[in-house]
Amino acid sequence: MMEHPYFLEAGCQAVDEAAARVAIIPVPYGETVSWMGGTEEGPAAILAASEALEIFDDELLSEPWQAGITTRPAVDCQGNTEEVLSRVCQEFALALERGQLPVMLGGEHSISVAGVAACLRLHPDLCVVQVDAHLDLRQEYDHDWLSHACVMRRIDDLAVPFVQVGIRSFSKEEWQLCTSRGWQPWTTARMRERENWLSEIEKWTGGRPVYLTFDLDGLDPAVLPATGTPEPDGLSWQTATRLIAMLCRTSNLVGADFVELAPPAGPAYSNFTAAKLVYRTIGYALHKV
Ligand SMILES: [Mn+2]
């Protein structure tokens, strides 16, 4: 794969980095992944694939890049998870200081807690929308409390309310935790039962600032197969983009991440799908469609 350090073509980068509306933050971290590895290759694969995107968005009928996108150098992922999380937090803080929308490319899911923590400092009424096949609510996994399988538990430790969408794989203990806390995850089974799930989520977010954490295994493996833990019965492209469009229209998207792409685990069109989802999200956020 050719090294391509930018989201979209080099010519689509904001000339004045500090004045850009969106900061792309690549975080090639893949330490704790449980099954098939390779998430550390995710950010580079998304950036490389993004070069092939049409810069004219076929749904928005506009060119979102013109609002100003800057791609930051990849975050240094040497050292332990705490050190990586602290660097991610600093990157988010810089983007937020500049009034930018930080969009992180992972990397494994454990990095999201740092993005949420940074956004929470600026937006005390922040809520999190998680798209994922998994609840990620384990207290620890393989003796690691910062494992990607624990990321929503760590976000809960920050006392940030969250809603979980596209869920279809979890342990009995995770489910019991949801029951005892009164959480009602949007499993794909429940989404089928309740046709108005989208408006229920809209009501829940209630116009608050939203952080979107999008584990790409939330999508159906037919749409995006290259993840470490593919699960059948995932979200379609249309369902996922309708959800993001609704969030951007009715709330204030203040931070986002797209994580768990594992390029070695599947065909290269996964990378392109991930890149297109990132660009579409940026378009929704900038255009308030
Ligand atoms: Mn997952």
Side-chain angles (χ1 to χ4, degrees), residues 109 130-136 148-149 167 169 215-218 227 229 231 259-260:
H109 210 161
Q130 172 205 11
V131 178
D132 205 320
H134 311 93
L135 288 174
D136 292 342
H148 67 145
I167 305 298
S169 173
D215 183 327
L216 291 160
D217 68 28
T227 72
T229 44
E231 287 280 342
V259 295
E260 296 283 341

Side-chain angles (χ1 to χ4, degrees), residues 29 31 76-84 87:
Y29 182 63
E31 195 56 38
D76 173 13
C77 290
Q78 304 296 311
N80 60 34
T81 313
E82 283 89 343
E83 290 167 327
V84 174
R87 290 180 205 123

Side-chain angles (χ1 to χ4, degrees), residues 126-229:
L126 186 74
C127 65
V128 173
V129 176
Q130 172 205 11
V131 178
D132 205 320
H134 311 93
L135 288 174
D136 292 342
L137 282 170
R138 287 175 159 88
Q139 180 58 21
E140 58 172 56
Y141 191 76
D142 281 347
H143 308 292
D144 181 2
W145 73 298
L146 291 174
S147 159
H148 67 145
C150 309
V151 65
M152 294 311 293
R153 196 65 178 269
R154 299 292 79 82
I155 286 171
D156 180 53
D157 291 344
L158 299 173
V160 184
F162 57 86
V163 67
Q164 304 175 279
V165 188
I167 305 298
R168 54 201 191 277
S169 173
F170 39 83
S171 69
K172 184 174 76 178
E173 290 73 23
E174 288 177 291
W175 190 251
Q176 286 169 337
L177 178 72
C178 290
T179 308
S180 71
R181 299 284 293 270
W183 297 331
Q184 290 190 298
W186 287 100
T187 62
T188 47
R190 186 165 166 247
M191 291 167 78
R192 264 191 297 278
E193 269 167 31
R194 300 172 73 98
E195 276 177 19
N196 64 343
W197 62 270
L198 194 63
S199 53
E200 290 200 36
I201 294 173
E202 179 181 340
K203 235 179 281 167
W204 181 85
T205 53
R208 282 179 291 185
V210 167
Y211 183 100
L212 171 69
T213 179
F214 199 116
D215 183 327
L216 291 160
D217 68 28
L219 290 171
D220 192 85
V223 181
L224 193 150
T227 72
T229 44

Side-chain angles (χ1 to χ4, degrees), residues 18-77:
R21 299 271 307 277
V22 176
I24 301 283
I25 303 172
V27 183
Y29 182 63
E31 195 56 38
T32 72
V33 161
S34 47
W35 188 27
M36 291 185 278
T39 52
E40 67 277 6
E41 297 175 31
I46 294 173
L47 295 181
S50 74
E51 204 181 6
L53 286 173
E54 282 289 358
I55 55 176
F56 186 75
D57 187 287
D58 58 278
E59 181 182 321
L60 301 167
L61 306 180
S62 66
E63 294 192 343
W65 70 273
Q66 288 192 349
I69 297 176
T70 186
T71 311
R72 299 284 300 160
V75 168
D76 173 13
C77 290

